[in-house]
Amino acid sequence: MKKALLGHVRQCLETCYTDGTLSSGIVPEIVIEVPTHAEHGDFATNVAMQLAKPEKKAPRQIAEILVNILKNNSELFEKVEIAGPGFINFFINKSLWRDSLKSIVLAGDDYGKGTAGKGKKVQVEFVSANPTGPLHIGHGRGAATGDAVASILTAAGFEVEREYYINDAGNQMDTLGKSVYLRYCELLGKPAEFPEKCYQGDYIKDIARDLITKFGSRYLDTPEDESIPVFSRLGGDIILQGIKQDLEDFGVVHNTWFSEQTLFDSGKVDEAISQMQQNGFIYENEGALWFRTTDFGDDKDRVVVRSNGVTTYFASDIAYHKEKYQRGFDWVIDVWGADHHGYVPRLKGIVQGLGRDADDLKIILVQLVSLMRDGVPVAMSTRSGEFVTLKEVVDEVGRDAARYFFLMRRSDSQLDFDLELAKRQSTENPVYYVQYAHARICSIFETATERSITPEDFSKIPLGKLDAPEEMALIKFLGQFPEVVEGSALNFEPHRITYYLQELAGLFHSFYNKHRVIGEDPELSAARLLLLKCTAQTLKNGLLLLGVSAPERM
């Protein structure tokens, strides 16, 4: 509806410029908004105020010119009014709102999908935790965010691939190997000093036990420098398999698992550094190689290769993002922990150094999660290296609740995750509140089917019967869903979907508590069943975009 209105306002301006009632010829970026109060109409625009300066007229005078043309469109508008200093309020004909229900039924599972992406190829790289330990709840929020962003972009017409970058090169893998090897020796009765820098968690002992089961004491007398690389690889493989399983249980499946080590093995790191040197973005100073990140807004240049010849993580990132764009992605989206915010200008510099526009890289920052239990903070970690894993949270509250709670707030704002609230089967629990709305509608349709009153042809239902304020509010809000999906996609903000679903469930409950769906008037019952069919479809479509189920019974 909003897009149709936007077209009419543009056409109105063109008419005014053609007939001379307006003279600047300027068509600004027209903003159409939904007023906070229903009495101000279905939509409003400030376009008259935007044109006041170029037209050298008072906003209300411009608004009057536009309204005199717009109000003649009796098929679209019930009325058009001027408010305040020059706002234009639009009241859409109720018949058009009601007819929009039929388009929702027709679209079905595709309702909300659009073409804004125009097939643009996008990669979403997310989670990408080091394979040195299990996923914790912070990784869970990143996983839910990346997966939901990918789903919403797909719904908006983008061609999307999900990728996990395996950080399997560098010191952390050596530390993992040493940690597992020392626990292996310890369990076989060969005590060894366990340094603080080694990984302290009990999962290291579990891995060591697995390797004892598989290899026995084979490595007990093997020199440590020969054993550690083996334990790094074996330990990393075990942890990575656990990560894959945890993500699958969480409803996240990546198209590609990309190994950092392959960038070194294939020579792509050296190749990328060489290209950047030739292009003048990397220079040598005091035996080290530096990237000119200050040219791109960073506070200082960054080392790519140290004077001892050892590369930094920055070198891998150059090669990795070069490789991404070589695969033909128009946009690359990286989902990071918020502690990496200072790294954004550096990576933007890499992208520009590769000859791409800085906007071809999108960074989504994900803030920390505070775990609560009935409002009381839960200890997230201890000095022994134990922490709350994603698996533990999913096992306790379920996949649906975990995903929904992770997506309830903007990803770059801190999140309080209350375990007891997430398990509660009451309207206090946000995900239960939304899912219950869907299940309740399914129950109503079961009753209608039992009484043989479910309409076979929804196109023949007299929708004029729907006129109560709660009915019209629900109809109008359902019409906003495609726009919400598009806005969520283009701004990489899945929380917009959770906000929408929460409000939609509230509007449904308000309607249901006041009006009887199956009553004595068969035409009114049929119309209300159509309204609820559209509501259930929209709830389901929104939940599925978040990776959350839409149960028919609860």
Side-chain angles (χ1 to χ4, degrees):
M1 198 71 75
K2 182 183 281 191
K3 286 185 177 179
L5 177 56
L6 192 61
H8 283 286
V9 174
R10 282 203 185 101
Q11 188 176 7
C12 177
L13 285 175
E14 290 172 6
T15 299
C16 291
Y17 292 136
T18 299
D19 65 20
T21 51
L22 293 177
S23 59
S24 69
I26 294 173
V27 179
E29 183 178 347
I30 300 166
V31 178
I32 306 289
E33 295 181 329
V34 177
T36 305
H37 303 289
E39 61 267 24
H40 295 157
D42 299 315
F43 299 103
T45 183
N46 66 343
V47 66
M49 300 161 79
Q50 290 176 284
L51 289 172
K53 187 173 182 180
E55 290 292 331
K56 298 179 181 178
K57 288 182 171 68
R60 282 191 71 92
Q61 185 181 353
I62 297 170
E64 287 169 4
I65 293 170
L66 298 176
V67 167
N68 283 335
I69 298 172
L70 289 166
K71 70 182 181 182
N72 292 327
N73 191 336
S74 57
E75 291 182 4
L76 179 60
F77 301 118
E78 188 176 285
K79 61 179 176 178
V80 185
E81 295 180 343
I82 302 172
F87 290 100
I88 301 175
N89 294 339
F90 303 95
F91 297 78
I92 306 297
N93 276 333
K94 289 182 179 179
S95 61
L96 291 178
W97 283 120
R98 297 186 187 107
D99 285 343
S100 67
L101 295 178
K102 296 176 183 177
S103 65
I104 297 175
V105 172
L106 190 64
D109 290 345
D110 289 333
Y111 182 58
K113 294 182 180 178
T115 58
K118 300 177 182 177
K120 183 175 285 189
K121 192 175 179 183
V122 177
Q123 183 215 56
V124 183
E125 183 232 312
F126 60 106
V127 188
S128 297
N130 293 341
T132 54
L135 299 178
H136 55 64
I137 65 167
H139 296 134
R141 191 180 189 189
T145 299
D147 195 50
V149 165
S151 295
I152 294 164
L153 285 168
T154 300
F158 293 86
E159 183 185 332
V160 183
E161 288 190 21
R162 295 164 169 84
E163 184 153 310
Y164 188 114
Y165 181 56
I166 309 167
N167 299 106
D168 55 358
N171 291 333
Q172 77 274 9
M173 298 307 296
D174 295 334
T175 303
L176 172 67
K178 185 167 185 175
S179 303
V180 175
Y181 172 74
L182 292 175
R183 291 305 188 197
Y184 169 88
C185 293
E186 180 183 278
L187 290 170
L188 287 172
K190 183 182 177 182
E193 184 181 347
F194 200 84
E196 282 190 14
K197 71 173 185 177
C198 285
Y199 296 112
Q200 305 288 325
D202 284 344
Y203 68 94
I204 297 294
K205 294 180 182 178
D206 294 337
I207 294 171
R209 289 189 188 97
D210 287 345
L211 296 181
I212 290 172
T213 300
K214 189 171 183 179
F215 300 109
S217 60
R218 181 190 306 178
Y219 293 97
L220 198 58
D221 297 319
T222 303
E224 183 174 319
D225 60 346
E226 293 180 23
S227 298
I228 286 178
V230 176
F231 279 70
S232 295
R233 177 176 56 80
L234 295 173
D237 288 345
I238 290 171
I239 290 172
L240 193 60
Q241 287 307 309
I243 288 172
K244 288 183 178 181
Q245 187 60 58
D246 287 350
L247 287 174
E248 189 175 324
D249 292 342
F250 194 47
V252 175
V253 177
H254 289 83
N255 303 105
T256 305
W257 292 73
F258 191 99
S259 163
E260 178 185 4
Q261 186 61 46
T262 62
L263 294 171
F264 290 94
D265 296 343
S266 63
K268 289 184 177 179
V269 171
D270 291 337
E271 179 186 311
I273 292 172
S274 177
Q275 179 186 330
M276 288 290 192
Q277 280 183 289
Q278 291 172 18
N279 294 341
F281 294 103
I282 289 178
Y283 64 93
E284 185 177 348
N285 184 35
E286 297 181 352
L289 295 180
W290 300 70
F291 192 98
R292 299 182 187 279
T293 48
T294 50
D295 289 353
F296 305 101
D298 200 3
D299 57 345
K300 62 180 180 180
D301 290 345
R302 304 288 167 172
V303 177
V304 178
V305 182
R306 298 185 180 95
S307 56
N308 61 3
V310 176
T311 58
T312 66
Y313 57 84
F314 204 51
S316 303
D317 285 336
I318 295 171
Y320 182 40
H321 285 79
K322 180 175 185 287
E323 202 273 347
K324 288 185 181 190
Y325 290 117
Q326 286 176 335
R327 280 187 265 161
F329 293 113
D330 298 297
W331 284 354
V332 165
I333 301 173
D334 291 348
V335 181
W336 293 348
D339 56 330
H340 289 78
H341 67 91
Y343 194 49
V344 173
R346 302 170 211 172
L347 205 55
K348 291 276 188 180
I350 289 176
V351 171
Q352 292 172 80
L354 291 171
R356 303 289 300 226
D357 192 291
D359 287 338
D360 290 346
L361 172 69
K362 317 289 182 182
I363 305 291
I364 298 174
L365 296 176
V366 180
Q367 264 290 3
L368 297 174
V369 179
S370 297
L371 204 59
M372 317 285 283
R373 195 177 291 280
D374 269 338
V376 179
V378 174
M380 296 284 286
S381 64
T382 67
R383 293 185 67 182
S384 64
E386 296 303 317
F387 46 82
V388 179
T389 65
L390 172 62
K391 176 177 169 52
E392 289 172 327
V393 173
V394 173
D395 286 348
E396 180 168 350
V397 307
R399 177 200 291 185
D400 284 349
R403 289 186 67 119
Y404 196 92
F405 268 61
F406 282 135
L407 297 169
M408 284 196 305
R409 302 285 180 266
R410 288 178 58 97
S411 65
D412 59 357
S413 63
Q414 190 156 339
L415 174 71
D416 290 337
F417 190 122
D418 196 306
L419 293 165
E420 294 304 319
L421 177 60
K423 293 187 291 184
R424 203 166 292 156
Q425 294 191 355
S426 72
T427 55
E428 298 172 73
N429 180 350
V431 65
Y432 181 89
Y433 185 69
V434 174
Q435 288 181 317
Y436 182 62
H438 183 269
R440 177 178 263 184
I441 294 172
C442 292
S443 175
I444 293 169
F445 270 86
E446 282 185 9
T447 301
T449 301
E450 290 169 4
R451 298 184 187 180
S452 301
I453 56 176
T454 304
E456 293 184 7
D457 187 354
F458 283 98
S459 66
K460 296 179 180 178
I461 294 174
L463 298 179
K465 291 278 186 175
L466 300 174
D467 202 43
E470 294 79 14
E471 292 166 338
M472 292 308 302
L474 197 48
I475 292 170
K476 291 175 182 179
F477 198 68
L478 289 170
Q480 293 181 29
F481 185 60
E483 179 198 339
V484 171
V485 174
E486 182 176 308
S488 178
L490 297 179
N491 291 281
F492 319 112
E493 293 180 342
H495 73 276
R496 295 190 184 201
I497 305 291
T498 57
Y499 283 12
Y500 176 86
L501 293 174
Q502 213 70 31
E503 190 168 348
L504 178 57
L507 289 171
F508 160 71
H509 290 304
S510 296
F511 158 78
Y512 184 76
N513 291 336
K514 193 166 184 178
H515 301 283
R516 188 174 179 181
V517 178
I518 302 172
E520 296 180 359
D521 183 341
E523 290 187 342
L524 178 58
S525 296
R528 285 178 172 169
L529 284 170
L530 174 60
L531 175 58
L532 294 199
K533 182 179 179 68
C534 294
T535 303
Q537 183 71 68
T538 306
L539 286 168
K540 174 186 172 185
N541 292 0
L543 285 167
L544 293 182
L545 286 177
L546 303 177
V548 178
S549 69
E552 296 184 2
R553 288 186 178 85
M554 291 183 73

